Amino acid sequence: MAPSSKPPLTIPAHSGSERTVAIIVLAVLAAVSFLPVLLTPIPAMVDYPNHLARMYILSQNGAPDANPHYEVAWAFYPNLGMDLLVPQLARLTGVETATRLFLLLSQLLIVGGALLLEWVRKGRVHLAGFAALAFLYCLPFSWGFVNFEFGLGLALWGIAVYLMLADGPWPLRFAANLLFVTALYVAHFFSLGIYGATLGVFELSRIRGRQMSYPVAAARLGALALPALALFAIMHVTAGSIGSEGTSWFPGFKPVWPLRIMNGYNLTVAAATGLALMIALLLAARRGVLRLEPAGIWLATGFALLYLVIPSKLFGTSFVDLRVIPAAALILPAFCSLSLPNRAWGMAALAGISGIILLNLAVVLSVWLPYRADYAAIIASFQKIDRGSRVLVGSIGDNGDPPFADLTSYPMYYAPTLAVHYANAFVPNLFTETGKQPVRPREAVRNIAIPYGGPVPSDLLAAIATGRPPADAPPFVRTWYRDFDFLYVLGSPAANPLPDLLEVLETSERFVLYRIRRKP
């Protein structure tokens, strides 16, 4: 479609030299922002080691040395982005490199999609790239929601292509929509939801702006929804699913997430950068230098309502409402205009957003680089585990929820799941939820598996082993001392809580490995 008549969103662009400076700064920031993925064999993201472990199982499926405790079971359901792509790429590069390349591709899709979307709307790009880099390591991405990041990046490209074809021949627009809906359905269900909601609200805004009649709008909305409805029908017929753990609301977190969204490791930095960004945007809006175009007002309102009403956990997927924030941050810059009064304002804005990006990036590097040694230590400890054994994961002083007091410990939560590859072990915390992952535990160990869940509190394990189990103790750990062979306890090393039952095999700064002496 034709570029918007609104002034472009820029930081600022009163002269060619200033535009050149902004482009150079953006390019340098982008290059630096991709460094963490390039410098770390295993990125320090809480879910990432779990995903990597699953990639090993998928890549070795059918091989003589395949893990004996798991089987691959494909079905027609979403959330399969990396599950389909990484094993194929791993044939050329190896599993660890292929998984990291998938993450890098996801980041490139995020940044490139935001830039393309703004270019389609305005014929030029400026703020979208900076917004994408500012959110590149936001909480959902730094916690390792890799399929969602990949899907959201793909959604940005799909939205841009649809808007590019919005006033063109309908068969071409329908074909592009069909292609992206199918790809997004396979990649991640909620990225498809973001894509559909964005384009649906955009089409509704065109009715309000009298750019089309009601019958035409109804036809366009129907054409948008038809491919998704067809896919859901196929899923229902083939007994596919989206998830299985139900729906939960945690409304108390909704006012908090905007202050935690910018950084997944340091709440102080997250709050400082989030507040600085919100205050700057509010001041710019009040002074009239930042304006949303009519479609942008509709989209901002739609994202706000979606954030308020959507559950925190939907179809077994946690932190769903949290994911709406980066989606809005990546899409709305294409529907804004920013007209700063002079060069000084422009340089201040450029310095401010660059400072936010670099501060968040510094936190990421300060966490990821030391974790290279921590992950290497736990991989080395797998040599002390008997191949084919059953490995339980516990932790000190928490219940498996995000440790907000020290989020830098969070990336270790699923590191023991890598034992499924290095020791052909069974680890109950491996992601194996029906409707989301194509891997499931075999019948012999299914009763002690946790499709989704963090480490078991060590106090609970001690209470069970000493004959004082609480009434609400999970079934899979009620006889853990008989069902498992080894135990990892995550956290700073402490005294052996059960010396008659547990034998220390390995101690590190972030974990202790025990052999379980089988108790009758």
Side-chain angles (χ1 to χ4, degrees):
M1 63 181 294
S4 170
S5 60
K6 292 286 184 181
L9 183 54
T10 178
I11 303 183
H14 295 295
S15 68
S17 62
E18 293 175 34
R19 286 194 295 269
T20 301
V21 169
I23 291 172
I24 292 174
V25 171
L26 178 63
V28 171
L29 289 173
V32 174
S33 295
F34 297 132
L35 277 179
V37 179
L38 299 174
L39 294 176
T40 49
I42 302 177
M45 310 157 102
V46 58
D47 284 359
Y48 189 92
N50 207 314
H51 293 314
L52 177 58
R54 191 174 73 258
M55 295 305 103
Y56 277 117
I57 290 177
L58 290 172
S59 299
Q60 295 168 345
N61 183 43
D65 60 343
N67 189 296
H69 300 293
Y70 297 94
E71 59 188 6
V72 176
W74 296 99
F76 190 78
Y77 45 71
N79 200 40
L80 295 177
M82 69 187 311
D83 300 78
L84 292 172
L85 295 179
V86 170
Q88 305 306 316
L89 183 59
R91 297 177 180 178
L92 303 175
T93 65
V95 175
E96 187 177 280
T97 299
T99 308
R100 195 151 46 107
L101 287 175
F102 180 84
L103 174 59
L104 184 61
L105 172 62
S106 302
Q107 293 184 328
L108 291 170
L109 286 173
I110 289 288
V111 177
L115 291 171
L116 177 64
L117 179 56
E118 190 177 33
W119 179 82
V120 169
R121 291 296 297 171
K122 304 169 184 174
R124 64 192 305 175
V125 292
H126 281 93
L127 187 60
F130 291 99
L133 294 178
F135 279 83
L136 196 60
Y137 294 97
C138 68
L139 195 150
F141 298 159
S142 61
W143 279 4
F145 302 168
V146 185
N147 271 343
F148 171 71
E149 184 173 0
F150 174 79
L152 182 57
L154 196 60
L156 294 175
W157 284 79
I159 294 167
V161 170
Y162 184 92
L163 297 184
M164 195 183 303
L165 303 173
D167 295 323
W170 74 263
L172 185 59
R173 186 173 62 251
F174 182 83
N177 179 56
L178 175 62
L179 177 64
F180 276 101
V181 166
T182 303
L184 288 168
Y185 175 88
V186 173
H188 196 277
F189 176 74
F190 293 105
S191 62
L192 173 60
I194 293 295
Y195 169 87
T198 301
L199 294 181
V201 171
F202 174 78
E203 293 290 7
L204 290 174
S205 73
R206 283 158 62 90
I207 301 175
R208 181 67 176 175
R210 299 182 179 179
Q211 299 176 36
M212 65 175 64
S213 64
Y214 285 101
V216 172
R220 292 170 70 97
L221 289 170
L224 260 177
L226 185 60
L229 294 174
L231 287 171
F232 291 142
I234 295 173
M235 181 184 71
H236 179 73
V237 170
T238 59
S241 62
I242 297 171
S244 61
E245 289 190 8
T247 299
S248 303
W249 277 264
F250 301 103
F253 277 96
K254 289 188 184 289
V256 176
W257 287 134
L259 294 176
R260 291 179 170 172
I261 188 69
M262 296 296 293
N263 192 284
Y265 304 105
N266 188 303
L267 296 183
T268 302
V269 171
T273 54
L275 275 174
L277 190 58
M278 286 188 282
I279 291 172
L281 293 175
L282 287 173
L283 289 176
R286 290 195 63 179
R287 290 178 174 269
V289 298
L290 176 65
R291 294 184 179 90
L292 281 168
E293 62 177 86
I297 295 175
W298 275 73
L299 286 169
T301 304
F303 281 125
L305 291 174
L306 181 61
Y307 176 71
L308 291 175
V309 303
I310 198 169
S312 300
K313 185 175 185 180
L314 182 62
F315 300 130
T317 298
S318 299
F319 306 109
V320 174
D321 50 355
L322 180 62
R323 305 173 196 230
V324 176
I325 301 175
L330 294 167
I331 293 170
L332 288 177
F335 297 86
C336 296
S337 65
L338 180 65
S339 301
L340 297 175
N342 53 49
R343 179 186 179 90
W345 277 70
M347 291 299 102
L350 183 59
I353 191 64
S354 299
I356 289 174
I357 293 169
L358 291 174
L359 180 57
N360 282 321
L361 185 61
V363 173
V364 170
L365 285 170
S366 71
V367 174
W368 285 29
L369 293 180
Y371 257 98
R372 292 184 300 184
D374 295 319
Y375 287 149
I378 199 166
I379 289 173
S381 74
F382 296 146
Q383 298 179 8
K384 298 185 178 182
I385 295 176
D386 300 331
R387 292 188 65 81
S389 57
R390 302 177 181 186
V391 179
L392 182 62
V393 184
S395 63
I396 297 174
D398 63 73
N399 59 0
D401 291 331
F404 288 116
D406 179 20
L407 284 170
T408 60
S409 67
Y410 208 19
M412 203 66 184
Y413 269 36
Y414 291 120
T417 60
L418 290 171
V420 305
H421 166 63
Y422 288 97
N424 260 10
F426 169 76
V427 185
N429 308 84
L430 184 71
F431 294 157
T432 57
E433 184 180 0
T434 301
K436 296 176 70 174
Q437 284 87 32
V439 172
R440 65 185 182 189
R442 295 188 182 275
E443 184 65 32
V445 292
R446 203 164 293 170
N447 64 312
I448 55 173
I450 324 168
Y452 263 87
V456 183
S458 56
D459 290 345
L460 173 61
L461 296 179
I464 293 172
T466 54
R468 297 176 288 106
D472 59 349
F476 76 94
V477 292
R478 286 186 178 273
T479 55
W480 67 269
Y481 45 81
R482 291 200 303 263
D483 296 328
F484 293 92
D485 307 297
F486 297 87
L487 169 68
Y488 277 96
V489 176
L490 304 180
S492 299
N496 188 340
L498 299 165
D500 293 336
L501 181 64
L502 302 176
E503 174 191 353
V504 177
L505 296 182
E506 182 75 25
T507 300
S508 177
E509 291 184 4
R510 294 193 181 273
F511 70 88
V512 177
L513 170 62
Y514 298 98
R515 182 190 301 276
I516 300 172
R517 299 188 181 102
R518 289 297 181 88
K519 182 178 179 181

